[in-house]
């Protein structure tokens, strides 16, 4: 569906969070927290679909709380979406290990050995 984050209609978002389309902010937040705990990648090690499901849950919450009235689920990407995307990206790197995909400071394919350079 294009855009940096997947978009969805309010009906799709409500289905993901298992709430009514006109659910209160409190009910949406409660459902989001429940689903986030259930699908968080840290609670589902080895489940490659956990991150995608977590992203879907986050987008659904944002869609229902956006209140922008855009019923077709057109692309929207605001500061909260950016924060969510960055948090999920950070979680993916943390799941790869303390140093991420590149090893320690400037390690891995960049030479390793700390700040003094590789070799």
């Amino acid at each position: 569906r294009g855009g940096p984050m997947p978009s969805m209609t309010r009906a799709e978002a409500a289905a993901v969070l298992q709430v009514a389309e006109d659910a209160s902010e409190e009910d949406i937040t409660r459902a989001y927290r429940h689903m986030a705990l259930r699908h968080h990648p840290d609670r589902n090690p080895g489940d490659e679909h956990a991150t995608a499901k977590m992203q879907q849950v986050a987008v659904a919450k944002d869609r229902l709380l956006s209140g922008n009235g855009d019923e077709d689920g057109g692309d929207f990407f605001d500061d909260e979406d950016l924060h969510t995307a960055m948090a999920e990206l950070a979680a993916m790197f943390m799941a790869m290990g303390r140093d991420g995909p590149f090893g320690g400071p400037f390690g891995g394919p960049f030479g390793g050995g700390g700040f003094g350079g590789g070799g």
Side-chain angles (χ1 to χ4, degrees), residues 3-109:
M5 297 277 291
S7 61
M8 61 179 69
T9 65
R10 291 187 65 81
E12 291 168 334
V16 168
L17 292 179
Q18 300 173 359
V19 297
E21 284 184 60
D22 62 350
S24 69
E25 184 174 336
E26 181 180 330
D27 288 341
I28 293 166
T29 302
R30 183 180 304 120
Y32 166 76
R33 288 181 181 156
H34 172 76
M35 298 293 275
L37 285 173
R38 184 171 159 199
H39 297 290
H40 196 282
D42 289 347
R43 289 192 165 210
N44 296 283
D47 181 354
E48 56 193 58
H49 301 291
T51 299
K53 184 64 177 178
M54 186 67 197
Q55 180 181 12
Q56 182 183 36
V57 167
V59 171
K61 174 194 63 109
D62 292 344
R63 178 69 180 105
L64 290 175
L65 295 180
S66 69
N68 63 9
D70 182 11
E71 293 303 319
D72 69 358
D75 291 339
F76 65 98
F77 196 78
D78 58 20
D79 289 345
E80 186 172 318
D81 293 324
L82 179 60
H83 175 75
T84 300
M86 293 303 293
E88 290 168 359
L89 182 60
M92 288 186 323
F93 275 96
M94 288 174 58
M96 289 182 213
R98 183 179 67 81
D99 297 318
F102 304 115
F106 305 107

